[in-house]
Amino acid sequence: MAGLEIPAWDPETALLIGAILLEAIVLYVGYGGLERLFGPYLMRLLIGGEASVQ
Amino acid sequence: MFSSLLDGLGIAGTSPEMLALFVGFGLVVGVLFGFFGMGGSFLVTPALLMLDYPAPVAVGSGMAFVFGTAVIATLKHHDLGQVDYKLGVIMITGTTIGIEVGRASVYYLESLGLAGGVISVAYVVLLGGVGAMVTRDALKGDGGGGVDHEAADKDLSEYEIPEIAKTIQRTVRIPPMVTLRGDVRVSAWVITTVAFATGLLSGFLGVGGGFIRMPAMIYAIGVPVPVAVGTDLFEIVFSGGLGSYLYGQGGGVNLGIVAPLLFGSALGARVGSAATAVVDADGIKIYFGGMLLIGSVAVGIGEIGSFLGNSTLELLGLVLVIGAAVVVAFAILYTTVASLRQTRRQATAAVD
């Protein structure tokens, strides 16, 4: 059976997980900005007229 | 250099069609996660298994996806002050051991050639069980599983500790005792046991484990709902990160799968989360339960197809899993837009 392991330092894997972490943070900030920029326009497009519902 | 890096991380090996499929599937999964607060990762690993990815890649990439999703959700809940860091740190120990045991089990089963089959069967039981529970609760009308987004906005003092949690707190008094937010006093061993059990599930199936950990935190530890929500996500960041790292060392994390899934799901989660302010989740929860049940059947069909070497059955299973998720996500979006339009019509009529 594959034994239990203490995680060993592996730069390539660390880069991989770091890339996912970075992507998550960028997406959180990026989509947040896009929502503020285009959210009201999208709401008007979806429900028509002046959207007051957030 | 750059292309070799992308190749090493698995991006270059994913075709444009698959990237588009993963972004779309991520969007659907994100809407479901944002709306129901759970269930997104349920669908990713089985779908990857049905797409013929090896079990460690399906589980490892599923876990890395959970990690990324948890990072995004935790950033939001941190701003709302809904994270008990003490509870989170204690849970990390138990969860870490649980994940490692679960991961070692996957590689052991893989060496026997049984991993795909055993994990699929576990998913059939899990999706079927949780799906039946959610559907039953939705039919009874008391809301059922998942995160109650409105509940997360209430004051901590409004929450009563469930009787079963009070009993555990009274009877299991093995030191060290820990005081948590909401004046909850509980043995650190209860916390560690809950953490180990959910970590085991995470490591074995590549899921966040929130659907088990959330009720476990509430009913076994006695944590108020909003604290359970925030702490669960905080904990998943660490457990998911560690689990992804361990799977990544064995080549189990494919960025060509995780990156597009995350790209779609981050957007979908925003849409799903915003939809909770417009649509009553209880009304749609029955569809969610139905989706999990269909997912359970689909994994079963896919596995039978794989066993018999029948590619049509395997394809049917995959179409059912993705189709059920797409239908529920569209039901949420359609109901949201319809509710918004109705609200606007009523507002316009009132003004007239």
Side-chain angles (χ1 to χ4, degrees):
Chain A
M1 175 175 176
L4 302 187
E5 289 175 17
I6 304 293
W9 174 245
D10 178 1
E12 195 176 328
T13 310
L15 179 69
L16 179 67
I17 305 305
I20 295 169
L21 179 65
L22 182 67
E23 186 193 356
I25 294 170
V26 168
L27 288 174
Y28 179 72
V29 175
Y31 280 143
L34 286 175
E35 189 179 313
R36 273 191 297 278
L37 274 176
F38 298 109
Y41 169 74
L42 199 64
M43 288 294 282
R44 275 198 300 276
L45 200 71
L46 280 173
I47 65 174
E50 290 182 14
S52 57
V53 183
Q54 294 299 310
Chain B
M1 163 71 187
F2 185 66
S3 62
S4 69
L5 178 68
L6 290 180
D7 196 34
L9 296 177
I11 296 177
T14 309
S15 67
E17 295 83 6
M18 290 305 286
L19 284 175
L21 175 73
F22 289 140
V23 170
F25 191 46
L27 193 69
V28 166
V29 167
V31 169
L32 298 174
F33 178 78
F35 191 77
F36 294 110
M38 69 168 196
S41 57
F42 282 12
L43 302 164
V44 172
T45 303
L48 292 176
L49 282 172
M50 283 184 227
L51 285 167
D52 272 346
Y53 283 98
V57 174
V59 178
S61 299
M63 180 166 275
F65 168 67
V66 167
F67 163 65
T69 309
V71 168
I72 294 169
T74 303
L75 287 169
K76 185 180 168 189
H77 283 269
H78 170 79
D79 294 342
L80 297 171
Q82 293 170 345
V83 183
D84 187 326
Y85 290 99
K86 192 199 290 180
L87 174 62
V89 168
I90 296 170
M91 288 196 80
I92 285 168
T93 313
T95 310
T96 303
I97 299 169
I99 284 179
E100 179 53 10
V101 173
R103 188 199 66 86
S105 307
V106 169
Y107 277 102
Y108 175 62
L109 289 170
E110 180 74 0
S111 71
L112 297 178
L114 296 171
V118 173
I119 292 170
S120 293
V121 169
Y123 263 108
V124 169
V125 174
L126 194 70
L127 289 171
V130 177
M133 188 182 76
V134 172
T135 307
R136 190 199 63 194
D137 288 347
L139 287 171
K140 278 163 62 182
D142 62 357
V147 176
D148 184 347
H149 291 265
E150 288 174 14
D153 295 331
K154 290 183 197 165
D155 194 85
L156 286 186
S157 59
E158 290 179 39
Y159 292 92
E160 275 196 26
I161 299 174
E163 270 312 311
I164 185 168
K166 285 180 185 171
T167 309
I168 291 171
Q169 287 168 12
R170 275 196 305 268
T171 50
V172 185
R173 302 192 65 80
I174 308 165
M177 298 295 285
V178 183
T179 306
L180 305 171
R181 288 189 64 185
D183 284 333
V184 176
R185 194 160 167 75
V186 64
S187 168
W189 292 102
V190 173
I191 299 172
T192 309
T193 305
V194 168
F196 175 79
T198 53
L200 186 66
L201 206 67
S202 295
F204 191 68
L205 297 176
V207 296
F211 64 99
I212 296 285
R213 195 183 295 112
M214 283 281 304
M217 275 187 182
I218 295 163
Y219 290 103
I221 302 175
V223 177
V225 174
V227 178
V229 175
T231 310
D232 178 44
L233 289 164
F234 167 72
E235 213 266 334
I236 291 174
V237 169
F238 284 90
S239 59
L242 178 72
S244 306
Y245 186 82
L246 290 168
Y247 270 103
Q249 281 184 315
V253 176
N254 186 333
L255 202 60
I257 298 170
V258 181
L261 275 175
L262 206 53
F263 187 80
S265 79
L267 178 62
R270 278 189 176 270
V271 175
S273 182
T276 59
V278 182
V279 181
D280 176 22
D282 290 344
I284 291 185
K285 220 157 232 167
I286 191 164
Y287 297 113
F288 182 65
M291 179 191 73
L292 296 181
L293 287 173
I294 291 171
S296 162
V297 173
V299 174
I301 289 174
E303 195 53 32
I304 291 168
S306 177
F307 181 73
L308 297 175
N310 186 330
S311 58
T312 310
L313 280 180
E314 286 183 273
L315 182 67
L316 177 65
L318 184 65
V319 168
L320 273 176
V321 163
I322 295 180
V326 168
V327 166
V328 177
F330 269 97
I332 292 169
L333 297 178
Y334 176 80
T335 313
T336 303
V337 173
S339 299
L340 284 171
R341 285 187 169 164
Q342 190 181 5
T343 306
R344 183 177 167 273
R345 273 198 300 274
Q346 285 169 349
T348 309
V351 169
D352 292 342

